[in-house]
Amino acid sequence: MFQYTFFQYALWGTLPACLLCAMVGTYMVTRRTVIAGGGMAHASLGGVGLGAYFGFPPLLGAALFAVLSGLGINALQRQRVREDSAVAMLWTFGMSVGILFAYLTPGFMTDLPAYLFGDVLAVTPADILITGILAAVCGVLYALCLPVLVLVAYDAEFARTRRIPVRAVETVMTVLTALTIVACLHTVGIVLVISLLTVPQVTAALFVRTFGRMVVLSAVLAYAACVAGLCLSFIFGIPSGATIILVSILLYLVCRTIKTLQSRFIKV
């Protein structure tokens, strides 16, 4: 399987995607904004439908919709709208717009599953380059501003007392989260992308207690799940995106069981 060019592209394409998800996902899990990330992921379908209907790249539309929905969630929260309500509102709006315009675009409904569930075996060198550039930008941001990001992620109110521009940090991370979601659409798709931003981080949290170590370990776990999922999907002829997520969750369950048994053994 490793001799096929499309499989090699899939392996190279998931590497920067996993690095991105490790960095952004660790912030999301720590900041407890996973539900907002899910809202942005599903709302991005609106941009996909609009792009197909009006003739511009669907991924560009997905990026615009994801960013605007994320900023919209933040704006509604500042207007004292509950986060879950704001997410539900923009989530359903984006998906409704996307499905409507996809239906109105002749022939596009047959392409929609690729955006919903991903097609990592169709990754191109351009996709790898874009995701790699975004991962590099995110890495530079984390290297320069890690203490600030950690403080905002763990305790935004305390960060405000230290005169840290929390709103600006939240805006930058919202935009980065939206772009990360769009960059991972070819890997697992809109429906499953939130798992790649969450499950490896939760698994890593079983073994580490610092932000930086969680980023590193979640990147390793995410890429291991991607490689294993790709191999299984190739061998058994099953969808790659769903297989990657199932492997990731199975890895969490195994690690959780090991951690539980270890704790019981120590107590004994």
Side-chain angles (χ1 to χ4, degrees):
M1 69 182 78
F2 296 99
Q3 297 177 354
Y4 292 100
T5 302
F6 69 87
F7 198 86
Q8 295 172 7
Y9 284 161
L11 291 175
W12 281 110
T14 53
L15 180 57
C18 289
L19 293 174
L20 262 177
C21 289
M23 290 183 281
V24 176
T26 299
Y27 175 86
M28 289 173 57
V29 170
T30 306
R31 188 75 171 88
R32 299 181 181 180
T33 58
V34 173
I35 186 63
M40 284 187 280
H42 289 82
S44 66
L45 183 62
V48 172
L50 287 174
Y53 184 79
F54 289 106
F56 58 86
L59 286 181
L60 176 60
L64 292 173
F65 241 77
V67 170
L68 292 175
S69 63
L71 297 177
I73 291 170
N74 291 343
L76 288 173
Q77 284 184 278
R78 287 194 289 269
Q79 298 297 321
R80 301 190 181 278
V81 177
R82 285 178 46 169
E83 182 184 30
D84 55 352
S85 300
V87 169
M89 191 184 310
L90 293 172
W91 178 326
T92 54
F93 172 75
M95 293 203 73
S96 299
V97 170
I99 293 172
L100 176 62
F101 280 94
Y103 177 80
L104 294 174
T105 304
F108 188 73
M109 288 297 288
T110 57
D111 297 331
L112 197 59
Y115 293 95
L116 290 172
F117 304 106
D119 188 5
V120 66
L121 297 180
V123 169
T124 65
D127 296 324
I128 299 173
L129 178 62
I130 292 172
T131 309
I133 292 174
L134 185 58
V137 171
C138 186
V140 171
L141 177 65
Y142 269 56
L144 296 176
C145 307
L146 185 60
V148 173
L149 294 174
V150 171
L151 187 57
V152 173
Y154 279 102
D155 194 339
E157 294 302 322
F158 178 70
R160 288 189 177 93
T161 65
R162 302 296 299 271
R163 296 184 179 179
I164 291 176
V166 173
R167 182 176 295 187
V169 173
E170 290 177 340
T171 299
V172 170
M173 291 307 299
T174 296
V175 173
L176 191 57
T177 300
L179 295 178
T180 299
I181 288 169
V182 175
C184 294
L185 290 187
H186 270 169
T187 306
V188 291
I190 292 171
V191 175
L192 301 175
V193 66
I194 198 63
S195 293
L196 204 58
L197 287 163
T198 308
V199 179
Q201 288 75 15
V202 175
T203 307
L206 295 173
F207 302 101
V208 298
R209 290 291 178 268
T210 64
F211 192 96
R213 290 179 180 178
M214 188 183 296
V215 170
V216 174
L217 184 54
S218 61
V220 173
L221 292 171
Y223 193 62
C226 285
V227 173
L230 284 169
C231 292
L232 290 173
S233 68
F234 183 91
I235 293 170
F236 296 104
I238 53 180
S240 54
T243 306
I244 289 171
I245 299 306
L246 289 176
V247 170
S248 182
I249 293 174
L250 179 62
L251 184 60
Y252 166 76
L253 293 175
V254 171
C255 291
R256 185 75 186 183
T257 302
I258 293 173
K259 192 69 175 179
T260 302
L261 293 175
Q262 184 183 36
S263 300
R264 291 179 179 178
F265 178 76
I266 292 175
K267 288 181 180 179
V268 172

